[in-house]
Amino acid sequence: MKKDPFKLGIMGGTFNPIHHGHLAAAEFVREEFKLDEILFVPSGKPPHKHKSDIASPEHRWTMTLLATGTNKCFSVSSVEIDRRGKSYTGDTILELKEIYGARSDCYFITGADAIAEISTWHKSGNLSELAKFIAVSRPGYKLDMSKIDSRFHRCTYLVEVPALAISSTEIRERIRRGKTIKYLVPEIVEKYIYKNKLYQGV
Ligand code: NAP
């Protein structure tokens, strides 16, 4: 039987590709906030991106599934990939509350750079009533709360994770330049990237 209230961590991101920094951050937050589960939610169509070097939603979802398979507290959702249109976080949290129960206590976890822009997100007015927000970053990052709507001040937390020195941008760049990505991503993800020839274009 599920705990009541169930404490659900929603790990949102493009995961292009998922790496050890994401996994370490999710595990660290799970422990610190005593969460029952961390659900990774790869974005289908990130609302603010028009980039051509984003792997397909199916590839990003599969890599996320492969990377999280060894942690029994981790799971992966395709809600944003299955939904047509842009991946708005508010829609995702509402959909997950229908699945996990209205009383579930949701913690939306993502990069601090993304959380810094939360006041500009779609229907941001309601977001602070739906979840708590955990901004993860490498040590030394300062979240400028003066740019964030005051409604978020009581429900937003900054968590430092040294492993977040790893970034998806750097990994894609290393692949393009033919450099090793060993130990930056799980081995199973590394194999998947090479097998499917991802991120090798200019
Ligand atoms: P992004 O701009 O690609 O990433 C910003 C920074 O945060 C990057 O340094 C990135 O590093 C890091 N990051 C992203 N996700 C992370 C995670 N789960 N854990 C640790 N670091 C993470 O951000 P994004 O992926 O597009 O958006 C992040 C989340 O916010 C997504 O779930 C997205 O749907 C949501 N969002 C919603 C709205 C909206 O509702 N309107 C608008 C913007 C974003 P890496 O590149 O290494 O991951």
Side-chain angles (χ1 to χ4, degrees):
M1 209 169 78
K2 273 198 161 70
K3 280 191 196 157
D4 186 24
F6 189 77
K7 291 180 76 175
L8 177 67
I10 303 168
M11 182 75 167
T14 309
F15 302 124
N16 186 43
I18 190 162
H19 53 66
H20 276 131
H22 297 129
L23 296 166
E27 179 64 3
F28 187 80
V29 170
R30 183 194 67 73
E31 185 177 68
E32 286 296 303
F33 289 80
K34 299 184 171 47
L35 305 183
D36 295 305
E37 179 180 334
I38 302 278
L39 185 66
F40 285 70
V41 183
S43 308
K45 196 169 179 203
H48 53 305
K49 288 194 178 165
H50 310 279
K51 286 191 192 157
S52 52
D53 67 345
I54 303 183
S56 72
E58 291 71 23
H59 279 317
R60 291 184 288 106
W61 180 83
T62 305
M63 289 189 280
T64 306
L65 198 66
L66 291 171
T68 53
T70 53
N71 188 325
K72 66 177 173 30
C73 295
F74 287 178
S75 50
V76 185
S77 167
S78 60
V79 280
E80 292 198 352
I81 288 171
D82 297 340
R83 193 188 305 144
R84 287 172 190 273
K86 294 185 175 173
S87 297
Y88 293 124
T89 297
D91 295 342
T92 300
I93 299 171
L94 284 172
E95 207 170 325
L96 292 175
K97 274 184 179 279
E98 273 181 26
I99 298 168
Y100 283 81
R103 276 173 51 81
S104 52
D105 200 3
C106 293
Y107 293 71
F108 187 81
I109 310 156
T110 197
D113 287 346
I115 293 286
E117 305 288 322
I118 199 166
S119 302
T120 68
W121 290 9
H122 185 66
K123 295 187 191 158
S124 71
N126 296 335
L127 283 174
S128 60
E129 288 156 29
L130 295 177
K132 298 175 188 71
F133 293 86
I134 303 181
V136 290
S137 77
R138 70 194 60 130
Y141 182 95
K142 295 272 176 286
L143 191 58
D144 185 355
M145 294 304 273
S146 67
K147 284 194 189 155
I148 297 180
D149 193 307
S150 58
R151 272 176 293 203
F152 291 101
H153 290 188
R154 286 174 55 157
C155 62
T156 303
Y157 307 85
L158 178 64
V159 174
E160 296 186 341
V161 181
L164 279 173
I166 302 174
S167 85
S168 299
T169 307
E170 187 199 340
I171 290 167
R172 294 194 303 275
E173 183 58 26
R174 290 186 71 81
I175 296 168
R176 261 191 296 275
R177 288 169 37 220
K179 300 272 191 186
T180 179
I181 57 165
K182 204 174 263 303
Y183 310 124
L184 299 178
V185 299
E187 193 177 356
I188 196 164
V189 171
E190 183 189 357
K191 285 188 175 146
Y192 185 91
I193 288 172
Y194 292 130
K195 184 170 176 226
N196 291 282
K197 300 185 171 51
L198 302 182
Y199 311 120
Q200 292 175 0
V202 267

